[in-house]
Structures are given as C-alpha cells and as structure tokens.
Amino acid sequence: MASFRNTIQKDAVLKALHEENRHMTAEQVLAKVQTQNPVISRSTVFRILHQLSERGDILRIRVPDGADCFDCTNTPHYHVKCTDCGEVFDVDMPVIDNLEDKIADTHGFIFTGHNIIFSGICPSCRKSRTA
Amino acid sequence: MASFRNTIQKDAVLKALHEENRHMTAEQVLAKVQTQNPVISRSTVFRILHQLSERGDILRIRVPDGADCFDCTNTPHYHVKCTDCGEVFDVDMPVIDNLEDKIADTHGFIFTGHNIIFSGICPSCRKSRTA
DNA sequence: ATTTATGCAAATCATTTGCACATAG
DNA sequence: CTATGTGCAAATGATTTGCATAAAT
C-alpha cells in the first residue's frame, strides 16, 4: 500500500497554511514557503496540496474562474468571492443539512453533497469605490 | 458606443444552444456548429459565448474543475456535477431567496448573490457501477 | 534496498488575445 | 466608410506529468 513520508517540503507547506490560518492559493503557499526555504519547487507544492486534500487533512476550495484555495481546516464551510478583487473569504453561516432533500425531481440522481459560493463586494473594495 | 452586429456565426451559436436546449460546453457548441458550417473557429465561438453571457442573453455556468457550460436560458437555477463522469445537469429546485440573510456576521461585506453546485452520481454512471 | 518524493521542464486544458483581413451597419 | 467581427496562431494561467535523481523508511 502507498504510505506517506515526512519531508521538509511537507512540513513547510503545512506550516505556511497554519501560520496564515486562512485559505491560500497554491501560489501564495509557494511564495510563503520560499521565504524560508528558497529551494522548493512549484510542482512539489501542488503535489503536496493535492495529497493533503485527498487525505482530508486540508480543504481544497474550487474557485470558479480563479485559482483554487486551500484551507488548513477540514470542516466544510461556505465562501464568498469578491466580484471586484477576486479574493475569497469564509462565510459565517452554518452548513445547511439535507439541502438535497429540497430537490423535487432527482431523475435517479444520487446526491452526495453541495457547495455554495456567494458573490459580493468585500469591505476594502467597497471603500475604494466610494473613495 | 459599442453596438453588436449580426453574423452567421452568432446565429449558428444561438441556434446550436436552442436546439440542444440544455447547457453545453464551448467545445460542444463548436462541434455542433461545425457540422453545419465547418468554417467557424474555436475562438469565435468563445468570443460569442462570452459576449452573449455578458449581455445576459445566455447563462455562463462556471464549473469547478471543468469546462464552463452555457445555457440558452437566462433564468438562474442550480446544477449538479456527476463526480464520476463530470457531466453537469440542471437541478429541479427553486432558487433560494434571501439566502444571504442567513449569514451571521458579514464583516462589512455586501452580498449580491449565490450559486449552489451539488455533487452526486448521475443515473447512467450509477447503472454502469452496479453492472 | 526499495519505495515514495523532488525538481525541472515540458505537457495539458480551457480560454483569451494580437493581428491582419473581412464584413455588417 | 468605419467600427465591429473573424480566423489563425500564439499567449495565458492554473495545474499536472514524465523522467532522472534524491531522500525517507
């Protein structure tokens, strides 16, 4: 069976995610990691983020029309994307249980989950608009 | 001001969308259009789909981890993505009004809308699994 | 020793864009 | 005539992958 090995790169990625404690793109993780350890490659960061999210250790947030984000938490929650700057933020709202039950006709589909992405204007973009 | 012109290509794209009457990827639109008019380029299809969705004539559905879909309807609705084959289907469920009001702490965010993507197993993938 | 990981560069996939030419208004 | 549209090929951006080497178990 495939087992996982501990490497400096994996530690660095996890450390970066925990220090920020919010979702980061792979690019942001790479940048942060490289400030400490300059010799770590982009593909390795992508591979590690992929592996960790497959394992369920971190959350991969598929951002429509933008780079995916990774969150060191593993409890599901919803997100907002600012339509101005494209940043993604957490939403303070409990996950809706059994949302799937509201579907009238399932056509034989088996629903396993759902994801909500809100859109809006983030506080800082709002300020720079009125300014 | 910029105004729009009618071209054979635009007619062809709209015709393709209306004939299928369900969401298609740009690639699918291109394929269908090329059966009638072989000399229409990929970029033109993309440009037209972009233009039409900007105008609000059609719906652009951002599919996480997959090609965007376009729907000739302009009334919003939710979608399911089959985790097996990746196909996207409409969901028979009314759009939730005021979902944004359920957000506890908005941190100064202005919410303008939301989108829900369900995940599940489509009927045909389910069949081929048990087979 | 054997298997998993890494770094690099090249590949992929969906989509956009620059540019010269065509065409609708 | 003049602005908008088209076709092509090349560019983009995010992510993945093949391959030889390195490191963890």
Side-chain angles (χ1 to χ4, degrees):
Chain A
M1 75 182 88
S3 57
F4 301 107
R5 289 178 183 176
N6 289 333
T7 61
I8 335 169
Q9 318 25 24
K10 276 181 201 172
D11 287 352
V13 166
L14 275 171
K15 189 158 155 278
L17 281 169
H18 279 102
E19 277 180 12
E20 286 286 323
N21 197 34
R22 47 171 225 95
H23 33 246
M24 308 166 77
T25 64
E27 209 64 42
Q28 290 170 328
V29 173
L30 176 69
K32 189 169 178 78
V33 153
Q34 282 186 334
T35 61
Q36 316 277 313
N37 189 342
V39 215
I40 181 168
S41 76
R42 184 188 319 281
S43 40
T44 298
V45 169
F46 273 97
R47 257 187 294 234
I48 291 173
L49 289 172
H50 176 78
Q51 186 180 81
L52 289 174
S53 63
E54 284 288 282
R55 263 207 287 189
D57 287 357
I58 63 173
L59 227 53
R60 180 184 202 138
I61 307 151
R62 298 283 186 179
V63 176
D65 190 30
D68 293 357
C69 288
F70 299 87
D71 199 324
C72 60
T73 179
N74 50 8
T75 45
H77 52 272
Y78 301 135
H79 297 92
V80 215
K81 183 176 184 185
C82 175
T83 47
D84 246 48
C85 64
E87 271 288 323
V88 176
F89 304 84
D90 281 350
V91 162
D92 193 359
M93 170 178 165
V95 168
I96 307 173
D97 282 341
N98 313 320
L99 184 61
E100 291 76 12
D101 296 348
K102 292 199 178 181
I103 298 161
D105 187 355
T106 65
H107 293 94
F109 235 100
I110 304 172
F111 289 88
T112 55
H114 71 270
N115 187 28
I116 305 183
I117 296 239
F118 290 91
S119 40
I121 312 283
C122 78
S124 62
C125 281
R126 193 162 55 116
K127 274 176 205 148
S128 49
R129 272 195 175 182
T130 41
Chain B
M1 72 181 90
S3 57
F4 300 107
R5 290 179 184 176
N6 291 331
T7 61
I8 337 169
Q9 301 56 1
K10 277 182 201 173
D11 287 352
V13 166
L14 276 171
K15 187 157 157 280
L17 281 169
H18 279 101
E19 277 180 11
E20 285 288 322
N21 197 35
R22 48 171 227 95
H23 33 247
M24 308 167 77
T25 64
E27 209 64 41
Q28 290 170 328
V29 173
L30 176 68
K32 190 168 178 78
V33 153
Q34 281 186 334
T35 60
Q36 315 278 313
N37 188 342
V39 215
I40 181 167
S41 76
R42 184 188 319 282
S43 40
T44 297
V45 169
F46 273 97
R47 257 187 294 234
I48 290 172
L49 290 171
H50 177 78
Q51 187 181 79
L52 290 174
S53 63
E54 283 288 283
R55 263 207 285 190
D57 286 358
I58 62 173
L59 227 52
R60 179 184 201 135
I61 307 151
R62 297 285 187 179
V63 176
D65 192 29
D68 294 357
C69 289
F70 298 88
D71 199 325
C72 61
T73 179
N74 51 8
T75 45
H77 53 273
Y78 301 135
H79 296 92
V80 215
K81 183 177 183 185
C82 175
T83 47
D84 247 47
C85 64
E87 271 288 322
V88 175
F89 303 85
D90 281 351
V91 163
D92 193 1
M93 170 179 166
V95 168
I96 307 173
D97 283 342
N98 314 319
L99 183 62
E100 290 77 12
D101 296 349
K102 292 200 178 180
I103 298 162
D105 187 353
T106 65
H107 293 96
F109 234 99
I110 303 172
F111 289 86
T112 54
H114 72 270
N115 187 27
I116 306 183
I117 296 240
F118 290 91
S119 39
I121 312 282
C122 77
S124 64
C125 281
R126 193 162 55 116
K127 274 177 208 148
S128 50
R129 272 195 174 182
T130 40

